[in-house]
mmCIF file of all heavy atoms in Angstrom:
data_model
loop_
_atom_site.group_PDB
_atom_site.id
_atom_site.type_symbol
_atom_site.label_atom_id
_atom_site.label_comp_id
_atom_site.label_asym_id
_atom_site.label_seq_id
_atom_site.Cartn_x
_atom_site.Cartn_y
_atom_site.Cartn_z
ATOM 1 N N MET V 789 123.056 3.521 142.970
ATOM 2 C CA MET V 789 122.071 3.337 144.044
ATOM 3 C C MET V 789 121.247 4.637 144.252
ATOM 4 O O MET V 789 121.828 5.706 144.192
ATOM 5 C CB MET V 789 122.757 2.991 145.366
ATOM 6 C CG MET V 789 121.798 2.715 146.514
ATOM 7 S SD MET V 789 122.619 2.332 148.040
ATOM 8 C CE MET V 789 123.193 4.004 148.553
ATOM 9 N N GLU V 819 77.135 21.496 137.240
ATOM 10 C CA GLU V 819 77.357 22.711 136.447
ATOM 11 C C GLU V 819 76.605 22.641 135.114
ATOM 12 O O GLU V 819 76.651 23.605 134.280
ATOM 13 C CB GLU V 819 78.830 22.944 136.208
ATOM 14 C CG GLU V 819 79.602 23.486 137.399
ATOM 15 C CD GLU V 819 79.041 24.848 137.757
ATOM 16 O OE1 GLU V 819 79.020 25.793 136.905
ATOM 17 O OE2 GLU V 819 78.660 25.040 138.957
ATOM 18 N N GLU V 888 116.219 0.483 154.737
ATOM 19 C CA GLU V 888 117.444 0.633 153.975
ATOM 20 C C GLU V 888 117.979 2.025 153.941
ATOM 21 O O GLU V 888 118.971 2.282 153.317
ATOM 22 C CB GLU V 888 117.145 0.109 152.524
ATOM 23 C CG GLU V 888 116.895 -1.362 152.391
ATOM 24 C CD GLU V 888 116.554 -1.828 150.991
ATOM 25 O OE1 GLU V 888 116.334 -0.903 150.130
ATOM 26 O OE2 GLU V 888 116.585 -3.041 150.733
ATOM 27 N N VAL V 895 105.180 13.438 146.231
ATOM 28 C CA VAL V 895 105.106 14.577 145.309
ATOM 29 C C VAL V 895 103.800 14.426 144.521
ATOM 30 O O VAL V 895 103.712 13.565 143.615
ATOM 31 C CB VAL V 895 106.304 14.651 144.373
ATOM 32 C CG1 VAL V 895 106.221 15.896 143.492
ATOM 33 C CG2 VAL V 895 107.584 14.706 145.212
ATOM 34 N N ILE V 903 97.312 15.425 151.012
ATOM 35 C CA ILE V 903 98.279 14.403 150.865
ATOM 36 C C ILE V 903 98.651 13.735 152.203
ATOM 37 O O ILE V 903 98.645 12.521 152.389
ATOM 38 C CB ILE V 903 99.586 14.897 150.246
ATOM 39 C CG1 ILE V 903 99.301 15.502 148.892
ATOM 40 C CG2 ILE V 903 100.624 13.797 150.094
ATOM 41 C CD1 ILE V 903 100.522 16.307 148.274
ATOM 42 N N GLN V 905 96.855 13.796 154.974
ATOM 43 C CA GLN V 905 95.735 13.057 155.535
ATOM 44 C C GLN V 905 95.466 11.702 154.823
ATOM 45 O O GLN V 905 95.170 10.702 155.511
ATOM 46 C CB GLN V 905 94.429 13.919 155.426
ATOM 47 C CG GLN V 905 94.472 15.153 156.331
ATOM 48 C CD GLN V 905 93.193 15.996 156.185
ATOM 49 O OE1 GLN V 905 92.275 15.630 155.480
ATOM 50 N NE2 GLN V 905 93.190 17.055 156.870
ATOM 51 N N ASP V 914 104.416 8.156 158.321
ATOM 52 C CA ASP V 914 105.695 8.202 159.019
ATOM 53 C C ASP V 914 106.823 7.687 158.174
ATOM 54 O O ASP V 914 108.005 7.814 158.599
ATOM 55 C CB ASP V 914 105.588 7.439 160.339
ATOM 56 C CG ASP V 914 104.705 8.105 161.329
ATOM 57 O OD1 ASP V 914 104.439 9.301 161.145
ATOM 58 O OD2 ASP V 914 104.240 7.427 162.301
ATOM 59 N N CYS V 918 109.035 14.237 153.716
ATOM 60 C CA CYS V 918 108.309 15.458 153.344
ATOM 61 C C CYS V 918 107.209 15.169 152.428
ATOM 62 O O CYS V 918 107.176 14.156 151.790
ATOM 63 C CB CYS V 918 109.265 16.542 152.804
ATOM 64 S SG CYS V 918 109.930 16.166 151.186
ATOM 65 N N LYS V 932 109.265 21.075 136.464
ATOM 66 C CA LYS V 932 110.251 20.480 137.374
ATOM 67 C C LYS V 932 110.127 20.957 138.805
ATOM 68 O O LYS V 932 110.786 20.410 139.721
ATOM 69 C CB LYS V 932 111.651 20.697 136.848
ATOM 70 C CG LYS V 932 112.038 22.206 136.798
ATOM 71 C CD LYS V 932 113.423 22.421 136.273
ATOM 72 C CE LYS V 932 113.796 23.890 136.251
ATOM 73 N NZ LYS V 932 115.176 24.101 135.754
ATOM 74 N N ASP V 933 109.369 22.039 139.028
ATOM 75 C CA ASP V 933 109.467 22.767 140.322
ATOM 76 C C ASP V 933 109.178 21.898 141.554
ATOM 77 O O ASP V 933 109.834 22.026 142.550
ATOM 78 C CB ASP V 933 108.421 23.922 140.275
ATOM 79 C CG ASP V 933 108.720 24.939 139.180
ATOM 80 O OD1 ASP V 933 109.171 24.479 138.131
ATOM 81 O OD2 ASP V 933 108.494 26.105 139.416
ATOM 82 N N GLU V 936 112.144 19.605 142.221
ATOM 83 C CA GLU V 936 113.245 20.337 142.728
ATOM 84 C C GLU V 936 113.014 20.785 144.156
ATOM 85 O O GLU V 936 113.970 20.748 145.023
ATOM 86 C CB GLU V 936 113.446 21.630 141.852
ATOM 87 C CG GLU V 936 114.106 21.299 140.521
ATOM 88 C CD GLU V 936 114.542 22.553 139.764
ATOM 89 O OE1 GLU V 936 113.964 23.632 140.096
ATOM 90 O OE2 GLU V 936 115.438 22.458 138.945
ATOM 91 N N ALA V 938 111.203 19.172 146.460
ATOM 92 C CA ALA V 938 111.313 17.961 147.247
ATOM 93 C C ALA V 938 112.800 17.640 147.447
ATOM 94 O O ALA V 938 113.236 17.248 148.539
ATOM 95 C CB ALA V 938 110.640 16.781 146.560
ATOM 96 N N HIS V 956 102.048 10.301 132.670
ATOM 97 C CA HIS V 956 102.944 11.141 131.854
ATOM 98 C C HIS V 956 103.434 12.320 132.666
ATOM 99 O O HIS V 956 104.614 12.697 132.577
ATOM 100 C CB HIS V 956 102.237 11.583 130.604
ATOM 101 C CG HIS V 956 102.673 12.933 130.081
ATOM 102 N ND1 HIS V 956 103.838 13.137 129.455
ATOM 103 C CD2 HIS V 956 102.040 14.141 130.147
ATOM 104 C CE1 HIS V 956 103.972 14.435 129.125
ATOM 105 N NE2 HIS V 956 102.910 15.055 129.540
ATOM 106 N N ASN V 963 111.882 14.014 134.093
ATOM 107 C CA ASN V 963 112.725 14.330 132.959
ATOM 108 C C ASN V 963 113.124 15.808 132.951
ATOM 109 O O ASN V 963 114.293 16.172 132.709
ATOM 110 C CB ASN V 963 112.073 13.993 131.621
ATOM 111 C CG ASN V 963 111.938 12.481 131.401
ATOM 112 O OD1 ASN V 963 112.663 11.692 132.045
ATOM 113 N ND2 ASN V 963 111.063 12.070 130.527
ATOM 114 N N ASP V 968 116.421 10.405 137.050
ATOM 115 C CA ASP V 968 115.909 9.161 136.559
ATOM 116 C C ASP V 968 114.468 8.967 136.999
ATOM 117 O O ASP V 968 113.970 9.599 137.974
ATOM 118 C CB ASP V 968 116.752 7.966 137.063
ATOM 119 C CG ASP V 968 118.068 7.881 136.378
ATOM 120 O OD1 ASP V 968 118.297 8.615 135.430
ATOM 121 O OD2 ASP V 968 118.911 7.018 136.820
ATOM 122 N N GLY V 975 99.273 1.655 137.315
ATOM 123 C CA GLY V 975 98.461 2.806 137.663
ATOM 124 C C GLY V 975 97.537 3.304 136.566
ATOM 125 O O GLY V 975 97.025 2.467 135.775
ATOM 126 N N LYS V 999 113.763 -3.721 143.860
ATOM 127 C CA LYS V 999 114.775 -4.264 142.935
ATOM 128 C C LYS V 999 115.472 -3.131 142.181
ATOM 129 O O LYS V 999 116.625 -3.323 141.747
ATOM 130 C CB LYS V 999 114.058 -5.213 141.967
ATOM 131 C CG LYS V 999 113.328 -6.374 142.586
ATOM 132 C CD LYS V 999 112.564 -7.083 141.528
ATOM 133 C CE LYS V 999 111.613 -8.164 142.136
ATOM 134 N NZ LYS V 999 110.809 -8.818 141.107
#
Side-chain angles (χ1 to χ4, degrees):
M789 184 181 75
E819 283 298 305
E888 291 178 348
V895 183
I903 301 169
Q905 291 180 4
D914 292 341
C918 70
K932 64 181 181 179
D933 299 35
E936 285 189 338
H956 150 73
N963 289 341
D968 285 353
K999 304 172 186 176

